[in-house]
Amino acid sequence: VQLQASGGGTVQAGGSLRLSCAASGRTFGSSHMAWFRQAPGNGREFVAGINFNGIITDYVDSVKGRFTISRDNVKSTMYLQMNSLEPEDTAVYYCAARTGKTYNFFRRAADYETWGQGTQVTVSS
């Protein structure tokens, strides 16, 4: 699978953005997907994950209640709806894929085989 992230931009604190991750290839419906982010000077941080059929979702504590991850296996696309954005959410956001039909949680970058190119999210105060 190949991944293409889009939807980033600049918003004021309290605003919303919706990121998309379009996948090509035949394995999207068999892949666990996730969003990570990386701010300048920081390592890549897990944000949210979703299993192959969308039943299992997982979020880092700092985004719970504000971000929602979802997927459309017909369109081979994953989404991240981000509401109530804060300046601390400013980062490059990456989508990632891990092949496998599981009901587990995967939060390490090393758990994922394929990465998109990243999309910049900037939240101004």
Side-chain angles (χ1 to χ4, degrees):
V1 63
Q2 293 182 321
L3 305 176
Q4 179 77 33
S6 63
T10 300
V11 296
Q12 290 188 331
S16 298
L17 282 174
R18 187 195 194 201
L19 304 184
S20 298
C21 177
S24 60
R26 298 183 177 183
T27 62
F28 181 81
S30 303
S31 297
H32 189 103
M33 303 293 296
W35 290 98
F36 285 75
R37 65 187 178 187
Q38 187 165 15
N42 292 350
R44 198 162 290 191
E45 175 192 28
F46 171 83
V47 176
I50 187 166
N51 80 322
F52 73 101
N53 59 8
I55 289 179
I56 303 295
T57 58
D58 183 30
Y59 299 91
V60 68
D61 285 348
S62 61
V63 308
K64 284 180 180 177
R66 301 188 298 121
F67 291 11
T68 302
I69 189 171
S70 62
R71 66 188 297 161
D72 185 334
N73 285 354
V74 174
K75 296 182 178 179
S76 295
T77 304
M78 173 180 65
Y79 305 98
L80 185 68
Q81 178 66 43
M82 305 186 295
N83 298 329
S84 302
L85 282 161
E86 303 169 352
E88 293 74 21
D89 296 316
T90 295
V92 177
Y93 283 69
Y94 298 89
C95 54
R98 170 193 171 96
T99 304
K101 293 184 175 182
T102 72
Y103 293 87
N104 297 327
F105 297 119
F106 301 98
R107 291 190 166 199
R108 301 181 309 155
D111 291 331
Y112 293 84
E113 306 149 354
T114 305
W115 292 82
Q117 85 289 1
T119 185
Q120 176 70 47
V121 172
T122 302
V123 184
S124 60
S125 57

